[in-house]
């Protein structure tokens, strides 16, 4: 009973869900967003979520919800700029022990950026690999499996919310807007579908394999999300700590794309709250005099169009691409690497699973990847 959740409202817009959640949590009522999806063959409806509270708080929550209906025109909440103008961070998790550190990092980042966080718990569909069967007895069995998986997922999410509150100081935890969302399915499909609806400023995911076999979404899942989503992805080593430094050093890796301006603008927007020094770097695998000419051209453009920012371009010679990143990070004390996801560019091969794995295994700093 302690971990059982009860649905009190169907929500059609993120703004309405955020508004009602804030008003309920002002009265000590913790809120969770889910999709029940108990019917075999049903698909996740991105235009509707269920607002849930703990069963023991349901009467108090319903009384507060009725009061909200009297005090506000809830149909107009979707136009409230206090919700639509917030920066947004999506954090997909499997609720392993590692993701506590990942959520701590997200909370530190959100506080710095004045952003809200959506912690997206993805639990497996127990019938994903089952062949379709249409007998009454089989469908009854499927419904029981779905119900059991859903109840177990609810229990896991409630327990995680308690643990997160234990490990994060109250003044930090309460300084950000944080939502829990629970969806069933395969990680890549759920993350990409959720990001289309939520439109986060960044998707934050763990980038190193956990000691646990069932650790956070890394490896192939991380790479597939990077390839398929249209939102920036921040891949964070699971041991990383958000330090909130006064000055951060950023390595922006360039292959002299035409899209450098677009990527720099996106990077500057995300890092707007930070005092930063951006090293625009081309890893030079072979001595090519034309590369220095391109660097000079890029520096001229940076001086002309980004004079208000501390950005300089340079060549960095190395006989190995990943080692070049590793050496530059160490030499310049880099806090974050930024890459553009440009198909068929010189850096496109970085998104091959083996090379991404090597990069995140050797370069122990967060990596921000932009779609352009």
């Amino acid at each position: 009973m302690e971990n059982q959740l009860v649905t009190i409202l169907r929500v059609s817009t993120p703004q309405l869900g955020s508004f009602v959640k804030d008003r309920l949590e002002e009265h000590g009522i913790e809120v969770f967003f889910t999709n029940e999806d108990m019917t075999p063959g049903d698909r996740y409806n991105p235009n509707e979520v269920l607002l849930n509270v703990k069963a023991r708080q349901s009467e108090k929550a319903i009384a507060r919800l009725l009061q909200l209906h009297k005090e506000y025109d809830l149909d107009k909440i979707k136009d409230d700029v206090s919700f639509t103008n917030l920066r947004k961070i999506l954090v997909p998790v499997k609720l392993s022990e590692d993701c506590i550190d990942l959520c701590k990092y997200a909370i530190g980042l959100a506080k710095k950026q004045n952003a809200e966080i959506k912690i997206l718990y993805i639990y497996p569909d127990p019938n994903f690999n089952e062949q379709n069967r249409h007998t009454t007895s089989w469908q009854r069995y499927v419904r029981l499996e779905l119900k059991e998986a859903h109840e177990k997922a609810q229990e896991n999410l409630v327990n995680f919310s308690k643990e997160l509150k234990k490990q994060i100081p109250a003044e930090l935890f309460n300084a950000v807007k944080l939502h829990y969302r629970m969806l069933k399915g395969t990680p890549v499909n759920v993350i990409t579908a959720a990001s289309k609806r939520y439109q986060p400023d960044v998707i934050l995911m763990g980038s190193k394999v956990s000691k646990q076999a069932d650790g956070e979404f890394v490896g192939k899942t991380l790479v597939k999300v990077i390839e398929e989503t249209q939102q920036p992805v921040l891949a964070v080593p699971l041991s990383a700590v958000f330090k909130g430094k006064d000055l951060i050093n950023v390595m922006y890796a360039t292959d002299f794309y035409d899209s450098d301006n677009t990527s720099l603008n996106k990077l500057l927007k995300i890092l707007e709250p930070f005092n930063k020094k951006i090293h625009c770097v081309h890893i030079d695998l072979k001595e090519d005099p034309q590369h220095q000419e391109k660097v000079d051209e890029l520096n001229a453009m940076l001086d002309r169009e980004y004079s208000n920012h501390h950005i300089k371009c340079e060549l960095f010679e190395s006989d190995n691409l990943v080692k070049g990143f590793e050496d530059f990070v160490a030499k310049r004390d880099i806090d974050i690497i930024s890459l553009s996801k440009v198909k068929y560019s010189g850096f496109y091969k970085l998104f091959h699973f083996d090379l991404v794995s090597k990069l995140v295994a050797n370069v122990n700093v967060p990596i921000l990847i932009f779609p352009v």
Side-chain angles (χ1 to χ4, degrees):
M1 186 69 174
E2 171 65 21
N3 290 343
Q4 183 180 349
L5 298 180
V6 175
T7 299
I8 64 167
L9 182 68
R10 291 182 179 270
V11 180
S12 58
T13 68
Q15 292 85 3
L16 176 60
S18 181
F19 174 81
V20 174
K21 173 187 179 293
D22 288 351
R23 301 291 84 79
L24 293 179
E25 292 190 344
E26 286 173 353
H27 289 71
I29 303 167
E30 191 168 18
V31 170
F32 303 84
F33 297 104
T34 69
N35 71 320
E36 289 188 1
D37 197 10
M38 293 291 106
T39 304
D42 275 5
R43 291 180 176 272
Y44 157 57
N45 178 4
N47 297 316
E48 181 180 80
V49 296
L50 307 177
L51 189 149
N52 299 262
V53 299
K54 295 176 182 177
R56 61 181 173 80
Q57 294 184 312
S58 57
E59 290 187 12
K60 182 179 178 181
I62 291 171
R64 179 58 181 147
L65 186 59
L66 291 173
Q67 187 64 32
L68 288 176
H69 275 286
K70 293 180 181 179
E71 296 175 358
Y72 299 94
D73 183 349
L74 296 183
D75 290 334
K76 294 183 178 179
I77 294 299
K78 64 183 180 181
D79 301 320
D80 190 331
V81 295
S82 65
F83 294 100
T84 56
N85 289 345
L86 274 176
R87 292 173 183 256
K88 296 181 286 188
I89 301 173
L90 180 66
V91 187
V93 296
K94 291 183 357 185
L95 303 188
S96 72
E97 291 181 9
D98 294 317
C99 78
I100 292 286
D101 289 337
L102 197 63
C103 291
K104 287 180 181 178
Y105 190 99
I107 289 172
L109 181 62
K111 185 174 184 295
K112 183 74 174 179
Q113 292 191 322
N114 188 30
E116 68 173 14
I117 300 170
K118 187 182 291 294
I119 294 179
L120 175 61
Y121 171 37
I122 304 169
Y123 69 102
D125 185 344
N127 300 290
F128 178 71
N129 293 318
E130 297 284 357
Q131 294 181 350
N132 291 329
R133 302 188 187 184
H134 301 288
T135 63
T136 302
S137 60
W138 179 254
Q139 290 185 354
R140 187 181 301 116
Y141 166 74
V142 168
R143 281 194 293 271
L144 288 173
E145 270 203 321
L146 289 170
K147 186 173 186 294
E148 182 179 348
H150 185 78
E151 290 176 350
K152 180 64 176 176
Q154 285 187 345
E155 181 181 359
N156 291 341
L157 185 57
V158 173
N159 286 334
F160 174 77
S161 72
K162 294 176 183 176
E163 187 61 28
L164 195 59
K165 285 182 177 179
K166 285 181 184 178
Q167 295 202 30
I168 296 177
E171 62 272 15
L172 178 59
F173 189 88
N174 295 328
V176 300
K177 291 180 180 290
L178 188 148
H179 309 286
Y180 295 103
R181 181 73 186 277
M182 187 178 85
L183 294 175
K184 169 174 61 66
T186 56
V188 173
N189 292 339
V190 171
I191 294 169
T192 53
S195 67
K196 286 179 182 177
R197 179 176 189 266
Y198 185 53
Q199 292 292 305
D201 292 275
V202 67
I203 303 171
L204 195 153
M205 298 180 67
S207 67
K208 280 200 173 181
V209 176
S210 164
K211 293 180 181 178
Q212 304 179 60
D214 61 347
E216 289 311 292
F217 303 119
V218 293
K220 291 182 179 179
T221 298
L222 172 60
V223 174
K224 288 294 290 181
V225 170
I226 289 170
E227 289 178 345
E228 295 188 14
T229 188
Q230 293 304 306
Q231 277 72 41
V233 176
L234 179 60
V236 178
L238 294 177
S239 59
V241 176
F242 184 81
K243 299 176 182 178
K245 294 171 61 176
D246 291 334
L247 175 67
I248 61 172
N249 286 310
V250 183
M251 176 185 180
Y252 170 73
T254 180
D255 201 20
F256 309 118
Y257 328 117
D258 292 335
S259 57
D260 273 331
N261 284 59
T262 301
S263 298
L264 278 172
N265 291 335
K266 291 180 179 179
L267 177 63
L268 290 170
K269 182 179 179 181
I270 285 184
L271 298 182
E272 185 178 6
F274 297 89
N275 185 18
K276 54 201 167 289
K277 181 177 181 181
I278 299 177
H279 304 266
C280 185
V281 183
H282 176 75
I283 306 296
D284 194 13
L285 299 179
K286 55 184 179 181
E287 294 183 6
D288 185 340
Q290 289 187 344
H291 287 172
Q292 185 58 56
E293 292 177 11
K294 291 180 179 179
V295 165
D296 294 340
E297 290 174 4
L298 191 49
N299 274 325
M301 182 275 291
L302 292 171
D303 289 339
R304 183 174 63 254
E305 299 184 24
Y306 296 89
S307 57
N308 293 332
H309 302 280
H310 194 163
I311 311 175
K312 276 294 181 183
C313 187
E314 62 183 290
L315 290 180
F316 191 80
E317 294 184 3
S318 177
D319 57 2
N320 178 278
L321 192 59
V322 174
K323 189 174 184 304
F325 275 86
E326 182 182 9
D327 291 344
F328 190 87
V329 165
K331 183 177 180 180
R332 293 286 195 272
D333 191 25
I334 295 297
D335 298 292
I336 185 170
I337 295 171
S338 177
L339 301 170
S340 294
K341 182 183 69 176
V342 182
K343 197 170 184 179
Y344 307 126
S345 75
F347 281 108
Y348 183 71
K349 55 189 174 183
L350 280 174
F351 299 97
H352 182 277
F353 168 62
D354 291 337
L355 286 175
V356 169
S357 298
K358 290 176 183 177
L359 183 63
V360 299
N362 289 280
V363 184
N364 195 33
V365 296
I367 303 172
L368 181 62
I369 301 101
F370 290 104
V372 292

